Amino acid sequence: MKKLALLILSIFTIGFIQAQTKKSKNMKKKILFVVTSHDKKGSTGEETGYYLGEVAHPWEVLHKAGYEIDFVSPKGGTPPVDGFDLKDPVNKEFWENKEYKNKIDHSLKPSQVNPNEYSTIFYAGGHGAMWDFADNTELSSIASKIYENGGIVAGVCHGPAGLVNIKLNSGKYLVDGKKINAFTNEEESEVQLTNVVPFLLEDKLKERGAKFEKSGLWQNHVVNDQRVITGQNPQSAKSVGEAILKELNK
């Protein structure tokens, strides 16, 4: 009887371990959205922040696919918002989602983030990103670790400003030799901020060795090269979310 009891216990234990292993494999790692803490366009006095549609549209795609999303900003807390258009039903859905509105209004500080919890880091745009993404070494380190762990680094519009100083363990820049896409020089000129932003994003990415791709003004353009996914402008935001999801499903 004792042997039988031990055998049953052993079978139960093995079954439990297998079930837990299967459960852990099926659990989806979280996604980290980065939003700017900067609220002014240089010396113009004009307000800026993260661009609402560039958060809401990728959020909708990934949230509906069952992924949990966290938010981080350089300063933490409530980040400034730009492009506040609630006539856009997706923007409205995000803004009125109590759980996620609370999450973004209480964004994490980089020091509170454990990179091992995330499958993806996504840098949302908005002109504010040009002032506080590139030189944030904590965010660059988080992104590098996620990528080196086999994860995805993504950005849209001005969000790829966060990619310009990310270095890998090899010492190479993340974007070096990869096809990359972001807000173009022509688009910056079109919004008359060429001489306001601290640097031109297209030029800086090229300096870092990126193979910069682009389409015409305000055209949807997204590229994925070796788990680095980038989109050109607000019109590309949903497509970036879809490209992230496609990569996660591989």
Side-chain angles (χ1 to χ4, degrees), residues 123 129-137 139-140 159-166 199 204 208:
Y123 289 86
M130 294 296 290
W131 279 269
D132 67 355
F133 275 10
D135 295 326
N136 192 296
T137 55
L139 288 171
S140 293
L163 277 58
V164 300
N165 288 324
I166 297 173
F199 58 90
K204 184 66 73 176
R208 297 292 189 251

Side-chain angles (χ1 to χ4, degrees), residues 198-250:
F199 58 90
L200 288 174
L201 187 49
E202 177 182 333
D203 289 353
K204 184 66 73 176
L205 288 164
K206 286 176 179 175
E207 281 177 29
R208 297 292 189 251
K211 297 175 181 176
F212 196 87
E213 288 193 353
K214 58 184 172 182
S215 294
L217 294 171
W218 322 123
Q219 298 299 304
N220 181 356
H221 189 133
V222 174
V223 62
N224 178 2
D225 192 350
Q226 301 171 63
R227 293 179 287 110
V228 179
I229 297 169
T230 44
Q232 184 168 317
N233 43 39
Q235 289 77 8
S236 310
K238 181 178 181 180
S239 296
V240 169
E242 291 170 340
I244 291 170
L245 183 59
K246 185 177 179 181
E247 185 68 32
L248 286 169
N249 286 336
K250 281 185 180 178

Side-chain angles (χ1 to χ4, degrees), residues 137-158:
T137 55
E138 286 182 293
L139 288 171
S140 293
S141 176
I142 290 165
S144 177
K145 285 173 183 170
I146 290 171
Y147 189 78
E148 298 280 12
N149 284 342
I152 298 164
V153 176
V156 70
C157 199
H158 289 95

Side-chain angles (χ1 to χ4, degrees), residues 12 37 72 84 93 99-100 146 150 184 214 228:
F12 174 80
S37 297
V72 63
F84 191 73
E93 180 186 353
E99 178 192 357
Y100 276 96
I146 290 171
T184 67
K214 58 184 172 182
V228 179

Side-chain angles (χ1 to χ4, degrees), residues 5-17:
L6 285 171
L7 180 62
I8 292 168
L9 180 62
S10 176
I11 292 168
F12 174 80
T13 303
I14 291 167
F16 178 77
I17 291 168

Side-chain angles (χ1 to χ4, degrees), residues 15-234:
F16 178 77
I17 291 168
Q18 288 175 338
Q20 289 300 105
T21 303
K22 188 176 180 182
K23 183 181 176 185
S24 65
K25 283 182 178 177
N26 288 338
M27 284 176 67
K28 293 177 177 176
K29 271 194 170 184
K30 295 189 289 183
I31 294 171
L32 186 65
F33 275 34
V34 188
V35 290
T36 180
S37 297
H38 191 84
D39 65 355
K40 290 287 187 294
K41 293 177 184 174
S43 57
T44 65
E46 291 179 29
E47 293 185 353
T48 188
Y50 71 87
Y51 204 80
L52 181 56
E54 293 173 28
V55 168
H57 284 261
W59 166 84
E60 182 203 29
V61 172
L62 298 165
H63 175 58
K64 284 187 175 177
Y67 284 90
E68 182 182 349
I69 294 163
D70 288 341
F71 297 91
V72 63
S73 63
K75 293 180 180 177
T78 307
V81 60
D82 198 3
F84 191 73
D85 175 16
L86 295 190
K87 290 178 184 175
D88 178 322
V90 177
N91 287 359
K92 184 177 169 66
E93 180 186 353
F94 173 79
W95 200 253
E96 293 179 355
N97 183 301
K98 288 182 180 179
E99 178 192 357
Y100 276 96
K101 180 67 164 57
N102 182 63
K103 271 191 167 190
I104 201 167
D105 283 349
H106 296 86
S107 66
L108 301 167
K109 291 179 181 178
S111 60
Q112 296 174 292
V113 172
N114 176 4
N116 295 322
E117 294 181 5
Y118 299 95
S119 64
T120 304
I121 183 168
F122 164 71
Y123 289 86
H127 267 93
M130 294 296 290
W131 279 269
D132 67 355
F133 275 10
D135 295 326
N136 192 296
T137 55
E138 286 182 293
L139 288 171
S140 293
S141 176
I142 290 165
S144 177
K145 285 173 183 170
I146 290 171
Y147 189 78
E148 298 280 12
N149 284 342
I152 298 164
V153 176
V156 70
C157 199
H158 289 95
L163 277 58
V164 300
N165 288 324
I166 297 173
K167 281 191 173 181
L168 303 176
N169 289 334
S170 63
K172 284 183 64 175
Y173 285 106
L174 171 71
V175 299
D176 188 11
K178 294 185 181 74
K179 295 174 184 176
I180 299 292
N181 182 230
F183 205 65
T184 67
N185 289 350
E186 291 83 1
E187 285 167 329
E188 205 66 81
S189 176
E190 187 74 8
V191 296
Q192 300 181 348
L193 291 171
T194 300
N195 298 317
V196 174
V197 290
F199 58 90
L200 288 174
L201 187 49
E202 177 182 333
D203 289 353
K204 184 66 73 176
L205 288 164
K206 286 176 179 175
E207 281 177 29
R208 297 292 189 251
K211 297 175 181 176
F212 196 87
E213 288 193 353
K214 58 184 172 182
S215 294
L217 294 171
W218 322 123
Q219 298 299 304
N220 181 356
H221 189 133
V222 174
V223 62
N224 178 2
D225 192 350
Q226 301 171 63
R227 293 179 287 110
V228 179
I229 297 169
T230 44
Q232 184 168 317
N233 43 39

